[in-house]
Amino acid sequence: MAKYQIATIEGDGIGPEVCRAAVKVLQEACGLDMLAFNDFPGGAAHYVKSGAVLPEDTFNACKQSHAILHGAAGLPEVTYPDGTEVGNDLHLQLRFKLDLYANVRPIRLYQGDFSPLKNRTAGEIDYIIIRENTEGLYASRGAGVLLRGEVATDTLVMTRKGVERVAKFAFELSRKRHGAPADGKRRVTVCDKANILRSYAFFRAVCTDVAQGYPDIELDYAYADAITVHLIKRPDFYDVIVAENMFGDVISDLGAATVGGMGIAPSGELGDHNGLFQGAHGSAPDITGLNVASPLATILSGALMLRWLADRHADQALLDAAQRIETSVEKTLAQGRAIPRDLGGMASCTEVTAEICRNL
Ligand code: ATP
């Protein structure tokens, strides 16, 4: 029996193709006796067939597995009566039920001409956004109020416990890194709108309290609107950014755009017991079934998964495999033979995957 059981949910749209690509690379990098992948149904199309976006068996398997790898979920035409998309409930339910409070979103520029920013080269953009994943504005999904068709409200939720744990996560992560590319300083930037709303002022105050325990790390603040400018003009200033749920969602798409787009942005959603890994992008229905999706985000999410497992189980072999996958992605992009379409190349999803496997 393989050492680690990984539950996969391929999902909708490009989900299956990018998920299979990541499984292929992970198997190649780790060998068959290390990881066993068990696929489970879930997503918007499954909801249409069965009425369940995250079936109970799928949830139980996810909970019991060592880690969860997901393609993507959601189809724009599959909605609830209030207009919200059904597919999002797959990862939202996993997030809330498994308490995956820290959403780790690395933003890294690779060698090649991939940034829309002028004169930015590999190594100059290398920061991680920690998106608080269980509170903030999205916590009230499904519980908003629509009054007489005239007024709609959703409540922004912050708790001391919730903010403290994600802030600690951000500071601990900064400690393990090498600092910001511009000056080598370990730095945590707190992203909020503390100037406008009490809840964000509370977020900032709790982060500031947590920072007292990390005198070796510079504490920095940025308003959510201002940071959209900074991430374009001086992305090399950033090391780790911790943000409220919705702001983290928005700025991580912006960050992804600065390094080439959604197709290269990985994501890991971590709790104390479980981890869910998927590209930061959605199911991209516009390019489904064309074999043109970039598998890089999901492959890099797979490498994040290995790093997380390696840490939890003190397993050097997993860490080595993660490193090999990341180096192979780096090499593939630098060689320029198999560049995915969204990064300006012509390679299909399967060609990119094959090249990454070769370069392992
Ligand atoms: P969600 O809200 O579920 O995150 P979204 O509505 O933001 O989804 P995506 O599915 O992420 O939208 O797609 C946004 C754009 O990015 C689309 O044009 C899509 O084709 C493109 N895109 C997303 N993922 C990839 C990928 N892996 N490779 C290439 N293009 C992608």
Side-chain angles (χ1 to χ4, degrees), residues 34 66 69 82 92 123 135 183 188-189 221 259 293 318 347 360:
M34 188 74 104
H66 290 97
L69 182 71
D82 69 356
L92 284 173
E135 303 195 338
D183 55 11
V188 170
T189 301
Y221 303 111
V259 295
L318 289 177
L360 281 170

Side-chain angles (χ1 to χ4, degrees), residues 108-115 119-126 181 259 330 334:
R108 176 177 167 197
L109 181 60
Y110 285 86
Q111 195 186 331
D113 190 18
F114 304 131
S115 180
N119 306 324
R120 289 293 177 192
T121 51
E124 285 188 339
I125 306 179
D126 187 358
V259 295
E330 214 172 310

Side-chain angles (χ1 to χ4, degrees), residues 99-102 132 134-135 160-170 210 272:
D99 202 19
L100 309 176
Y101 60 87
E132 200 295 316
T134 54
E135 303 195 338
R160 179 171 292 278
K161 180 183 159 206
V163 180
E164 257 174 17
R165 64 184 184 174
V166 80
K168 274 191 192 138
F169 188 99
V210 170
D272 292 333

Side-chain angles (χ1 to χ4, degrees), residues 14 88 262-263 281-284 286-287 293-294 342:
I14 61 169
N88 290 325
M262 298 310 294
H281 56 75
S283 59
D286 53 330
I287 54 167
S294 167
D342 64 330

